[in-house]
Amino acid sequence: PNSCDCLLPKRPKQTMGVPTAAAITLAAHAAGNAILLYHIFSPLLEQDAIDMTHLDPSVIIDTAIPPKHLGHFVALSCILSIAIIWGCQRAALKLSLVNNMILIGIATVFAQCSFILCGINPMKLPIHTFISALYVATNTVLPITLLAPSGEVIASLQHGKSRLNYEAVVAYLFGPISNNINPSTQHKQQRQHQLYQRKVQRMHQHSTLGTLIGMCACAIFRVLDHGMQIQRYPMPTVIGATVGGVGGVLMALLVTVTVE
């Protein structure tokens, strides 16, 4: 069996071309973040563009987004993410709060490390960097830390308590797609269940990779000396992660429909 099997769905309720609950959850999750991003930052950037017209482009780029707006966005994004996942999949939190905080904390550290690879100095604006990394981390791991009747993506219970295998999380998000479909399986429902597992994992992987690729790709805006408002830190990171997440979900739906 694959090392990430403990994270795969257990009880699919439907056998359509795309797992409906998981697809709606990820799509609503990505679209909700994009809408929040626009409504929170668009008025600020439009007003600042007028106020900073006389400033040198390098000064504009070096003027960071106020932490208040950034924190407001990330907090609303987390609340919206949990609400969408619970609403779309009628999910109940299976991991303990401590386990979730540890997992998100580890993901935040890795996100900050990826910022360094993108040429960002995390010590220059540590609060902005931490909040941005927290946004990337929560949007990456939250969908797989909640369980739903139509798709559990969670570790198994041990001694009455939920315990998460962190290596299995990495394998689930970045490893090869689980290939445990047995052609000799006679039970139709079991074969459908195995196929469903592959589809949900593929959708989570594309969504995660889209977020990370978008974040890294948009980091290039920081080196352009055009004085655009979207170049102000950490807007390239936040915009890239959000747009990349939307693109990843769309690619996941396309691949899930065409591959299987």
Side-chain angles (χ1 to χ4, degrees):
N2 211 304
S3 62
C4 60
D5 284 347
C6 63
L7 292 173
L8 290 171
K10 303 293 186 183
R11 298 186 299 272
K13 292 296 184 181
Q14 44 73 42
T15 58
M16 297 176 60
V18 177
T20 306
I24 293 177
T25 299
L26 289 175
H29 184 229
N33 283 330
I35 294 172
L36 275 178
L37 179 72
Y38 176 81
H39 281 286
I40 291 178
F41 291 110
S42 180
L44 171 68
L45 298 182
E46 289 177 359
Q47 183 60 46
D48 285 353
I50 298 174
D51 298 339
M52 295 181 176
T53 304
H54 63 286
L55 297 179
D56 186 81
S58 61
V59 176
I60 296 176
I61 295 173
D62 289 336
T63 304
I65 296 296
K68 176 182 177 181
H69 290 77
L70 188 61
H72 186 202
F73 167 69
V74 174
L76 288 178
S77 173
C78 292
I79 294 173
L80 178 66
S81 298
I82 295 175
I84 287 175
I85 294 171
W86 279 347
C88 291
Q89 296 190 250
R90 300 187 182 279
L93 193 61
K94 184 174 181 179
L95 281 181
S96 69
L97 178 61
V98 173
N99 280 335
N100 273 282
M101 291 178 64
I102 293 175
L103 180 58
I104 292 176
I106 293 174
T108 301
V109 172
F110 278 102
Q112 288 180 304
C113 293
S114 67
F115 290 177
I116 298 175
L117 297 178
C118 294
I120 298 172
N121 182 0
M123 301 308 297
K124 184 177 182 181
L125 293 167
I127 296 178
H128 293 72
T129 302
F130 172 77
I131 297 176
S132 303
L134 181 63
Y135 170 70
V136 174
T138 53
N139 283 278
T140 300
V141 303
L142 269 182
I144 69 167
T145 60
L146 296 175
L147 78 96
S150 58
E152 295 177 1
V153 188
I154 206 67
S156 60
L157 290 175
Q158 295 181 9
H159 305 297
K161 296 182 179 180
S162 59
R163 304 180 67 87
L164 188 61
N165 184 336
Y166 299 105
E167 293 182 0
V169 173
V170 175
Y172 180 82
L173 289 177
F174 302 105
I177 300 295
S178 176
N179 189 22
N180 59 353
I181 296 181
N182 187 355
S184 64
T185 301
Q186 299 297 322
H187 201 289
K188 180 180 179 181
Q189 185 176 2
Q190 185 176 354
R191 291 197 303 270
Q192 291 174 339
H193 165 60
Q194 293 171 344
L195 181 60
Y196 177 91
Q197 291 178 332
R198 289 165 56 93
K199 291 180 178 181
V200 174
Q201 183 181 2
R202 179 175 286 109
M203 292 195 332
H204 279 135
Q205 285 193 352
H206 280 76
S207 174
T208 300
L209 291 176
T211 298
L212 298 179
I213 292 173
M215 177 189 70
C216 295
C218 287
I220 195 174
F221 285 135
R222 287 284 298 167
V223 303
L224 301 178
D225 193 19
H226 296 327
M228 297 183 295
Q229 289 294 316
I230 60 172
Q231 292 180 263
R232 295 168 59 188
Y233 189 70
M235 289 308 299
T237 300
V238 174
I239 292 175
T242 304
V243 175
V246 173
V249 170
L250 294 177
M251 182 61 68
L253 295 177
L254 177 62
V255 172
T256 302
V257 171
T258 57
V259 170
E260 299 290 358

